[in-house]
Amino acid sequence: MPPEPRPLPWTIDGEGLRLSVRLTPRGGRDALDGVGTGADGPAVLQVRVAAPPVEGAANAALIALLAEALRTRRSDIVVLSGETARLKVLRLAGDGPALAERLAAVLGGV
């Protein structure tokens, strides 16, 4: 019997992609650390940024890192929920399947 596919931290919808993220501010460097499991079970993209969680600096660094990694505009990425929390849900506007494919490639073929 083949193994069950790993749950993904994103879903494709009509507007693009919804992405669940666990952000670690003051993480020493900016990096996408892969897919992990959140405290209550769903999959999350683990991201660390060097910026502190002050006045939106960590969120801005998160958006900049994702925009660069996925070759999209910063303005296409919006924090839907979790503005001041570590667990966030982001909206990435655009072609959802193409964004999912780029994200999977960046993460090593998740």
Side-chain angles (χ1 to χ4, degrees), residues 7 10 16-17 21 40 47 56 66 68 71 75 78 85 91 93 100 106:
W10 62 82
L17 199 75
V21 173
D40 56 351
V47 181
L66 285 173
E68 182 179 335
R71 300 179 318 272
S75 61
V78 177
R91 155 82 58 224
V106 166

Side-chain angles (χ1 to χ4, degrees), residues 27-103:
R29 60 187 168 89
D30 294 350
L32 303 176
D33 288 338
V35 176
T37 305
D40 56 351
V44 292
L45 175 63
Q46 296 175 321
V47 181
R48 70 177 62 213
V49 294
V54 178
E55 297 178 9
N59 287 341
L62 167 64
I63 289 170
L65 176 63
L66 285 173
E68 182 179 335
L70 300 176
R71 300 179 318 272
T72 189
R73 297 178 302 199
R74 291 179 189 190
S75 61
D76 288 341
I77 303 174
V78 177
V79 178
L80 295 178
S81 66
E83 187 79 29
T84 59
R86 285 180 185 256
L87 293 177
K88 301 175 184 303
V89 176
L90 306 178
R91 155 82 58 224
L92 286 75
D95 180 3
L99 288 167
E101 188 176 305
R102 280 188 242 150
L103 188 52

